[in-house]
């Protein structure tokens, strides 16, 4: 799309948003709604908007949150079904971007490679790669809506002997468009949301699909039928949507708290659900008895029990074991058993990454994200005028993105009205020694615990505490004290006037 001549030809913006996924589009809406007159552009490395929902193309790709809370707060999901597939989510994102004119601000195939803050100019200088052509863009404020994982490289899983395999090896992050698995014997390695989505969907065509897991995951079947239809006839549409969203937010939160406070009771409840759906030939223990409490890791859902239905069909199987080695024609397990395979799917996870791999510098000095504390889950210690959209992992991501966008727009309004040009989170010297570190994200998923540290830090007090939940975070975003933990720089205006070349 090269029709955005106005955005395309400009090189100074008040706000630059990086990423045209859920977080970027959501941020753009709040910028244009709350700060009319501010110029902004979205830099997107890919050839289309959508982010996660453009990248992932494996069969059955879908949300595992309900769309009432995963959808944009300002343009509610207006279909009855809570779970939607990838193409439907991307289409909804496109419709939203068009409806609010956000699409005209998106610069596709624009990858941000480095960002340098100049203290003298109070401005970001951004090195952008646009179709191989380098460009420099300047901005006062930058918002990273770059998600939380590396788009180019998946998590390296250590699978012994994988090189021996003579069939096809596929990673879900790079699904070949025309992959033919009809009548093939498939082994999926992994037990997360992706494996649980793939199993029933591949079993439709494959000869035999086996999900090979080291250890089981909690799975909950949720109905994907139309919701609260009766209310929709009684209430005005916008009120109905708001009510529906509020109900789903509370439902999620209550269930999460139930799992955290009553681990045994919730485990019993989830076990009951699994056993109800499981065909008799598949044992609950060891295949479905997780070694951790419900919601200590992200809970997996399956719409209308599709996962369990496929087990009942006989073409899908679950195997709980560890790999001794991959051979030419399959996998030998440590129990001595073997699995024949024509194709192996490595659903082994994402490589975590914050800020889209952009090299950050302040006056040319390298800035190390993982050594810094996060200010109210929005900005980073010592980094001026930069917001990071990190949504929730134990509720819909978008709810956290909403809180972040509202906080940033209120901060920008405050800066503008007080004739300030920059805000810098800073930990006072006398406080630094008091801070006790707390995990940024509480879920104990392997990909969050393992691997090198990429997330910023969180602490036990003040504005450095980790995010909590939607209600509290929205209250902070709309009413909280923005002075606590921030230092400011005075200046003529936050708006970057178009300079004459
Ligand atoms: C298969 C899958 C299913 C998921 N399902 C759910 C779910 O049901 N519910 C839920 O809450 N969460 C879910 N998640 C998490 C999900 O990624 C987020 O909820 C959400 O889509 C993230 O949106 P985002 O805009 O923050 O990031 P992304 O969707 O990852 O988008 C980031 C965008 O930034 C762009 N970008 C990155 N770096 C640069 C750069 N340097 N320059 C320019 N552009 C850049 C990328 O190209 C991309 O378009 C799922 C994740 C996966 C992988
Ligand atoms: C959920 O229901 C909707 C509407 O019936 C349907 O389009 C969609 O494919 C379903 N999703 C899944 C993952 O079953
Ligand atoms: C499918 O795979 C399982 C596990 O490897 C095996 O027990 C079963 O016999 C296979 N079924 C068919 C039809 O190949
Ligand atoms: C960043 O900006 C500073 C000051 O404006 C400049 O001296 C430095 O060379 C720049 N560094 C990079 C990597 O662009
Ligand atoms: C989600 O996790 C955060 C920490 O990451 C925790 O403080 C919070 O209570 C959890 N909340 C939800 C959604 O209820």
């Amino acid at each position: 799309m090269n029709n955005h001549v106005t955005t395309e030809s400009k090189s100074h913006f008040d706000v630059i948003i990086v990423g045209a996924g859920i977080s970027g589009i959501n941020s753009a809406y709040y910028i244009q709604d709350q700060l009319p007159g501010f110029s902004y552009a979205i830099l997107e490395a890919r050839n289309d908007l959508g982010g996660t929902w453009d990248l992932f193309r494996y069969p059955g790709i879908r949300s595992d949150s309900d769309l009432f809370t995963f959808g944009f707060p300002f343009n509610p999901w207006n279909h009855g079904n809570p779970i939607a597939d990838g193409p439907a989510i991307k289409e909804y994102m496109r419709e939203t971007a068009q409806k609010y004119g956000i699409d005209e601000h998106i610069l596709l195939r624009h990858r941000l490679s480095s960002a340098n803050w100049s203290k003298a100019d109070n401005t970001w200088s951004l090195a952008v790669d646009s179709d191989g052509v380098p460009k420099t863009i300047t901005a006062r404020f930058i918002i990273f809506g770059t998600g939380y994982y590396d788009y180019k490289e998946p998590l390296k899983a250590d699978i012994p002997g994988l090189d021996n395999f003579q069939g096809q090896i596929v990673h879900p992050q790079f699904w070949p468009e025309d992959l033919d698995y009809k009548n093939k014997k498939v082994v999926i390695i992994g037990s997360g949301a992706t494996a649980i989505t793939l199993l029933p969907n591949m079993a439709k065509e494959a000869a035999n699909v086996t999900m090979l897991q080291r250890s089981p995951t909690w799975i909950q079947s949720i109905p994907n039928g139309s919701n609260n239809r009766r209310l929709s006839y009684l209430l005005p549409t916008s009120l109905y949507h708001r009510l529906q969203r509020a109900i789903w937010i509370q439902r999620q939160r209550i269930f999460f708290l139930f799992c955290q406070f009553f681990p045994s009771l919730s485990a019993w409840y989830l076990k009951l659900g699994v056993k109800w759906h499981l065909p008799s030939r598949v044992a609950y223990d060891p295949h479905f008895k997780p070694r951790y409490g419900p919601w200590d890791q992200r809970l997996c859902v399956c719409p209308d029990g599709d996962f369990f239905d496929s087990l009942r069909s006989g073409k899908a199987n679950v195997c709980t074991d560890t790999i001794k080695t991959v051979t030419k024609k399959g996998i030998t397990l440590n129990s001595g058993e073997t699995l024949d395979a024509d194709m192996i799917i490595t659903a082994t996870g994402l490589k975590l990454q914050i800020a889209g791999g952009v090299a950050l510098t302040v006056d040319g000095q390298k800035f190390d994200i993982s050594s810094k504390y996060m200010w109210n889950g929005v900005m980073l210690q010592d980094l001026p005028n930069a917001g990071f959209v990190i949504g929730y992992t134990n509720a819909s991501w978008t709810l956290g993105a909403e809180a972040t966008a509202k906080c940033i727009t209120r901060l920008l309004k405050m800066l503008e009205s007080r004739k300030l040009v920059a805000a810098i989170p800073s930990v006072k010297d006398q406080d630094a020694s008091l801070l006790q570190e707390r995990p940024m994200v509480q879920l104990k998923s392997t990909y969050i615990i393992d691997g090198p540290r990429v997330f910023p830090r969180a602490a036990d007090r003040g504005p450095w505490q980790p995010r909590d939940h939607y209600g509290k975070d929205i209250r902070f975003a709309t009413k909280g004290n923005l002075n606590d933990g921030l230092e400011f720089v005075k200046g003529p205006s936050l708006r970057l006037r178009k300079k004459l070349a």
Side-chain angles (χ1 to χ4, degrees):
M1 279 189 284
N2 269 326
N3 52 343
H4 310 317
V5 184
T6 48
T7 304
E8 187 90 52
S9 58
K10 286 207 308 192
S11 57
H12 306 292
F13 297 91
D14 299 327
V15 178
I16 280 289
I17 297 168
V18 192
I22 287 275
S23 301
I25 293 173
N26 183 68
S27 301
Y29 172 84
Y30 286 100
I31 293 288
Q32 53 179 50
D33 185 60
Q34 295 294 308
L35 300 156
F38 270 59
S39 61
Y40 82 90
I42 303 181
L43 305 177
E44 171 52 59
R46 298 175 64 74
N47 199 17
D48 203 352
L49 54 68
T52 296
W53 308 101
D54 180 47
L55 174 70
F56 280 86
R57 307 280 175 96
Y58 58 75
I61 170 75
R62 58 165 170 82
S63 68
D64 51 4
S65 304
D66 66 274
L67 263 290
F68 308 117
T69 57
F70 190 69
F72 298 105
F74 53 89
N75 187 36
W77 175 250
N78 66 8
H79 307 276
N81 54 302
I83 303 289
D85 57 32
I89 297 175
K90 188 173 150 190
E91 200 39 49
Y92 161 70
M93 291 170 73
R94 186 191 309 286
E95 274 167 29
T96 306
Q98 281 169 353
K99 181 169 167 188
Y100 297 95
I102 294 166
D103 56 341
E104 288 168 21
H105 296 259
I106 302 176
L107 295 170
L108 297 174
R109 302 185 304 277
H110 277 59
R111 173 185 302 282
L112 177 61
S113 50
S114 65
N116 184 26
W117 174 261
S118 157
K119 284 185 184 163
D121 302 337
N122 288 299
T123 301
W124 280 106
S125 170
L126 310 173
V128 178
D129 172 353
S130 133
D131 269 338
V133 180
K135 260 194 191 178
T136 304
I137 290 178
T138 49
R140 273 291 194 238
F141 200 96
I142 183 166
I143 300 174
F144 288 90
T146 43
Y148 63 97
Y149 60 86
D150 192 333
Y151 269 65
K152 286 183 254 164
E153 230 182 276
L155 188 68
K156 275 218 171 50
D158 196 15
I159 301 171
L162 192 60
D163 290 342
N164 300 332
F165 191 59
Q166 288 186 336
Q168 203 167 355
I169 302 170
V170 178
H171 194 286
Q173 191 165 331
F174 308 104
W175 199 267
E177 205 179 322
D178 48 4
L179 184 68
D180 180 17
Y181 50 90
K182 206 167 179 198
N183 300 324
K184 294 207 168 138
K185 279 175 283 181
V186 180
V187 174
I188 303 170
I189 303 176
S191 61
T194 298
I196 283 159
T197 302
L198 278 172
L199 187 82
N201 285 291
M202 291 189 81
K204 287 174 194 160
E205 283 192 9
N208 195 347
V209 189
T210 305
M211 179 173 113
L212 173 60
Q213 57 179 8
R214 225 173 344 190
S215 58
T217 307
W218 288 108
I219 305 173
Q220 189 182 27
S221 167
I222 66 163
N224 181 32
S226 267
N227 263 269
N228 307 326
R229 279 293 272 285
R230 247 167 294 146
L231 279 176
S232 75
Y233 300 121
L234 293 174
L235 297 173
T237 316
S238 76
L239 184 62
Y240 166 66
H241 285 314
R242 256 184 297 161
L243 186 70
Q244 192 175 37
R245 191 160 182 275
I247 290 172
W248 280 82
I249 290 171
Q250 289 314 321
R251 192 189 275 203
Q252 249 176 24
R253 173 102 183 116
I254 288 166
F255 189 67
F256 178 84
L257 291 176
F258 170 64
C259 292
Q260 296 279 293
F261 288 104
F262 304 101
S264 331
L265 189 60
S266 60
W268 174 81
Y269 170 77
L270 287 172
K271 174 180 167 183
L272 208 66
V274 171
K275 283 194 150 176
W276 164 261
H277 285 282
L278 219 52
S280 56
R281 70 178 179 89
V282 183
Y284 175 76
D285 191 359
H287 303 308
F288 290 92
K289 193 180 173 191
R291 298 184 204 137
Y292 57 87
W295 265 123
D296 283 347
Q297 293 182 17
R298 205 182 164 99
L299 186 78
C300 287
V301 300
C302 67
D304 296 326
D306 66 351
F307 177 85
F308 300 105
D309 286 345
S310 75
L311 292 179
R312 220 171 295 125
S313 79
K315 283 215 292 185
N317 293 285
V318 177
C319 174
T320 309
D321 209 325
T322 48
I323 299 174
K324 185 162 178 220
T325 184
V326 177
T327 60
K328 279 184 187 173
K329 292 188 150 47
I331 300 178
T332 308
L333 302 167
N334 277 317
S335 66
E337 226 187 299
T338 61
L339 295 174
D340 289 345
D342 303 318
M343 186 181 283
I344 292 178
I345 315 289
T346 53
T348 44
L350 306 163
K351 184 173 164 202
L352 297 183
Q353 185 181 66
I354 298 293
V358 174
L360 295 169
T361 49
V362 175
D363 272 353
Q365 292 274 320
K366 189 173 182 293
F367 183 87
D368 174 23
I369 296 178
S370 68
S371 68
K372 302 294 182 177
Y373 286 106
M374 211 167 187
W375 178 84
N376 287 301
V378 174
M379 292 177 78
L380 287 178
Q381 177 195 0
D382 303 332
L383 193 66
N385 287 16
F388 295 80
V389 187
I390 301 180
Y392 300 125
T393 50
N394 53 3
S396 283
W397 179 273
T398 316
L399 297 173
E402 180 192 342
T404 304
K406 286 184 169 164
C407 181
I408 291 174
T409 47
R410 189 162 68 95
L411 174 67
L412 290 179
K413 272 189 191 172
M414 185 187 89
L415 295 179
E416 186 68 346
S417 72
R418 283 169 47 185
K419 302 254 183 308
L420 300 169
V421 70
I424 310 148
S426 45
V427 178
K428 291 198 190 78
D429 286 343
Q430 69 266 30
D431 294 344
S433 58
L434 297 174
L435 295 183
Q436 302 269 332
E437 204 171 330
R438 291 278 175 279
M440 257 284 293
V441 180
Q442 259 166 18
L443 296 187
K444 298 181 207 122
S445 300
T446 42
Y447 64 81
I448 291 179
I449 292 173
D450 296 347
R453 179 178 185 131
V454 298
F455 276 89
R457 294 163 190 258
D460 62 334
R461 65 194 70 203
W464 316 107
Q465 288 175 81
R467 280 248 169 112
D468 198 358
H469 61 92
Y470 179 73
K472 200 169 155 197
D473 295 337
I474 282 288
R475 232 172 297 133
F476 174 80
T478 52
K479 296 193 187 78
N481 178 6
L482 296 175
N483 294 303
D484 187 15
L486 287 187
E487 279 179 4
F488 301 103
V489 178
K490 282 200 178 300
S493 170
L494 185 62
R495 307 267 298 278
L496 197 65
R497 302 277 148 78
K498 193 167 179 178
K499 292 180 192 142
L500 295 170

